[in-house]
């Protein structure tokens, strides 16, 4: 029997508990600001707002799984080079039904169900594999495709210089390369060369492919069944 499905997302900063207390407090503030930013940008796609749990763990529940592409990308961009000790963040994503009722006003950390169990399992697997993001519950074939897409995007992003990263972030915000060049005081050719070297077009293509696949899964049109 098909039941309403949601995408549970759990993110965690890598090895943050190993940091000195003062650094950890500073890092937690960065994550608090990240959570506020995610809620402001993606609130309409969330069943419940993102919250900070266990000190530096992010948890949310999405009604629109395609929104997690922007969630993960936004989190990675926000933390790149800005977090104390430059800690990375990894995500586990689980697609499936809830066991608890939504109409009682429970916050996301009070909800439960297969989607949350899968997200937790994928978060632990992502940590062990040192992966960026891992998926479960979307169908065996779709899980493999999504995991591979995000692994490839992570591999590309891992080679970015700080300057290349700044150019990609500003292009997303400003929309045009000439606007990025004007803001940064460089020639448009410098921005173009930087984006080409960073394979930014491949990143955008990977993100769009992931969005389309997730939209088709949510609409029940993907190849693998996701019925329980």
């Amino acid at each position: 029997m098909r039941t309403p499905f949601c995408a549970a997302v759990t993110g965690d900063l890598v090895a943050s508990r190993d940091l000195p207390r003062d650094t950890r407090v500073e890092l937690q503030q960065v994550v608090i600001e990240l959570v506020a930013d995610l809620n402001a940008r993606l609130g309409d796609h969330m069943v419940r707002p993102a919250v900070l749990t266990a000190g530096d763990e992010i948890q949310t529940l999405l009604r629109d799984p395609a929104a997690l592409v922007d969630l993960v990308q936004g989190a990675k961009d926000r933390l790149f080079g800005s977090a104390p000790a430059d800690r990375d963040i990894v995500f586990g994503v689980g697609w499936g039904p809830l066991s608890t009722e939504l109409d009682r006003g429970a916050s996301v950390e009070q909800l439960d169900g297969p989607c949350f169990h899968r997200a937790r399992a994928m978060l632990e697997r992502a940590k062990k594999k040192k992966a960026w993001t891992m998926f479960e519950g979307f169908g065996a074939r779709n899980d493999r495709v999504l995991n591979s897409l995000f692994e490839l995007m992570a591999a590309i992003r891992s080679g970015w210089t700080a300057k290349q990263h700044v150019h990609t972030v500003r292009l997303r915000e400003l929309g045009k390369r000439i606007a990025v060049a004007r803001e940064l005081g460089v020639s448009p050719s410098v921005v173009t060369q930087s984006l080409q070297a960073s394979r930014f077009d491949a990143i955008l293509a990977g993100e769009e492919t992931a969005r389309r696949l997730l939209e088709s899964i949510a609409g029940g049109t993907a190849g693998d069944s996701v019925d329980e």
Side-chain angles (χ1 to χ4, degrees):
M1 177 179 179
R2 181 179 288 274
T3 59
F5 276 42
C6 299
V9 184
T10 303
D12 194 24
L13 291 167
V14 177
S16 62
R17 292 167 182 81
D18 299 334
L19 296 171
R21 181 182 180 281
D22 289 349
T23 304
R24 185 169 165 77
V25 170
E26 185 180 354
L27 180 59
Q28 187 179 50
Q29 183 58 42
V30 172
V31 181
I32 289 172
E33 294 170 0
L34 167 62
V35 168
D37 177 64
L38 293 176
N39 286 331
R41 292 192 300 110
L42 301 174
D44 290 344
H45 302 281
M46 294 174 173
V47 179
R48 290 290 186 271
V51 297
L52 183 63
T53 64
D56 52 17
E57 188 174 284
I58 297 171
Q59 195 170 39
T60 190
L61 187 67
L62 300 174
R63 62 172 53 89
D64 173 14
L68 69 87
V69 177
D70 292 330
L71 186 154
V72 173
Q73 172 264 313
K76 300 290 283 190
D77 280 353
R78 177 99 182 192
L79 291 176
F80 186 93
S82 65
D86 199 23
R87 283 303 195 255
D88 201 2
I89 188 168
V90 297
F91 289 92
V93 183
W95 176 245
L98 294 170
S99 300
T100 48
E101 297 181 10
L102 286 170
D103 57 4
R104 296 181 180 178
S107 60
V108 67
E109 63 266 43
Q110 295 173 308
L111 298 174
D112 192 27
C115 56
F116 286 103
H117 306 161
R118 292 165 183 165
R120 173 63 56 187
M122 288 303 99
L123 176 63
E124 296 306 316
R125 184 178 297 181
K127 290 178 181 178
K128 291 179 181 178
K129 291 176 62 77
K130 297 183 179 180
W132 181 11
T133 304
M134 296 200 71
F135 298 78
E136 185 173 75
F138 296 90
R141 182 177 60 205
N142 297 325
D143 290 341
R144 289 194 297 271
V145 171
L146 289 165
N147 288 337
S148 296
L149 271 173
F150 276 77
E151 183 177 0
L152 289 169
M153 288 190 288
I156 293 174
R157 288 179 63 119
S158 69
W160 286 358
T161 65
K163 183 179 293 185
Q164 288 171 339
H165 184 265
V166 168
H167 289 162
T168 67
V169 170
R170 300 310 291 147
L171 182 61
R172 289 184 193 271
E173 294 173 349
L174 299 175
K176 294 184 178 181
R177 299 182 182 191
I178 192 169
V180 176
R182 186 180 301 116
E183 179 185 81
L184 299 179
V186 298
S187 70
S189 64
V190 168
V191 176
T192 296
Q193 291 170 6
S194 174
L195 293 170
Q196 289 174 342
S198 66
R199 303 296 303 275
F200 189 53
D201 286 346
I203 290 289
L204 295 179
E207 291 174 354
E208 182 61 20
T209 299
R211 283 191 198 93
R212 288 177 179 268
L213 177 55
L214 290 163
E215 287 169 356
S216 71
I217 292 169
T221 60
D224 283 3
S225 171
V226 291
D227 289 355
E228 285 295 290

